Amino acid sequence: MNSLINLTKKQIKGIVIILQIFLIGSLFLPAGTTIGLNDSEKVSLSVYQLIYRYAGLGFSDDALVYMVLACVLPGVIIFSLLFLKERKNFAVSAMLCALYASVSACFYSSARCKMVDYATMNIFPYLIILISLSSMMLLILGFLSAESVQNASK
């Protein structure tokens, strides 16, 4: 535990960037399967396919909001870590990670309830939420370990 607290700001940025790249790539991995009468009718659904099928149930606005946020927020987090100043980059990124985690949790719980007759979810959506929350915790650690602007100017 002590070695986790002693991470440098550069190491925290690197870990979070890798986690965000995984979140972008996870949109193509299977998040559930369709329900069929036998095993040959079951089809694996990626996150994009899940969003598309969810929109087909009449929730197109919800699906569009989640798809845009799921595609854009990890990239914005990476760019804010790379291009914003010292404490601001960690603060903005932590808030965006919290937004991503809450939006993902809302979408997956809603999709699981609304698509109960059509598809089953595997553990992967929970992994996406866990990775987003762990990124947020690392960013909070980076924010707390970064020097404030007032202390740096003294």
Side-chain angles (χ1 to χ4, degrees):
M1 182 69 178
N2 194 17
S3 64
L4 181 65
I5 295 174
N6 291 332
L7 289 173
T8 65
K9 292 174 285 198
K10 188 179 253 187
Q11 290 172 333
I12 291 173
K13 284 182 186 180
I15 293 169
V16 170
I17 288 172
I18 290 170
L19 290 175
Q20 296 304 311
I21 290 171
F22 175 76
L23 286 177
I24 293 170
S26 69
L27 297 174
F28 302 102
L29 297 175
T33 56
T34 59
I35 297 175
L37 295 175
N38 53 23
D39 288 339
S40 64
E41 294 179 4
K42 291 184 179 181
V43 177
S44 180
L45 295 173
S46 71
V47 176
Y48 279 125
Q49 292 168 334
L50 195 65
I51 293 169
Y52 179 73
R53 304 276 173 114
Y54 186 75
L57 292 174
F59 303 104
S60 59
D61 293 339
D62 300 343
L64 178 66
V65 167
Y66 178 70
M67 186 170 63
V68 168
L69 291 177
C71 294
V72 171
L73 282 181
V76 172
I77 291 167
I78 290 170
F79 283 121
S80 68
L81 280 174
L82 296 175
F83 297 117
L84 291 179
K85 295 197 185 216
E86 184 68 24
R87 283 176 63 106
K88 190 181 285 187
N89 62 358
F90 289 117
V92 169
S93 298
M95 288 186 285
L96 291 175
C97 276
L99 176 65
Y100 184 82
S102 61
V103 166
S104 294
C106 289
F107 173 75
Y108 288 121
S109 64
S110 177
R112 188 186 71 225
C113 292
K114 304 289 186 204
M115 299 176 72
V116 71
D117 295 333
Y118 181 72
T120 59
M121 302 264 197
N122 57 16
I123 193 115
F124 192 69
Y126 299 114
L127 183 64
I128 291 173
I129 297 166
L130 181 67
I131 288 172
S132 182
L133 289 175
S134 62
S135 294
M136 182 189 68
M137 296 305 288
L138 283 170
L139 289 166
I140 290 171
L141 180 66
F143 177 78
L144 293 175
S145 67
E147 289 184 22
S148 67
V149 176
Q150 296 167 349
N151 289 344
S153 63
K154 289 182 181 180

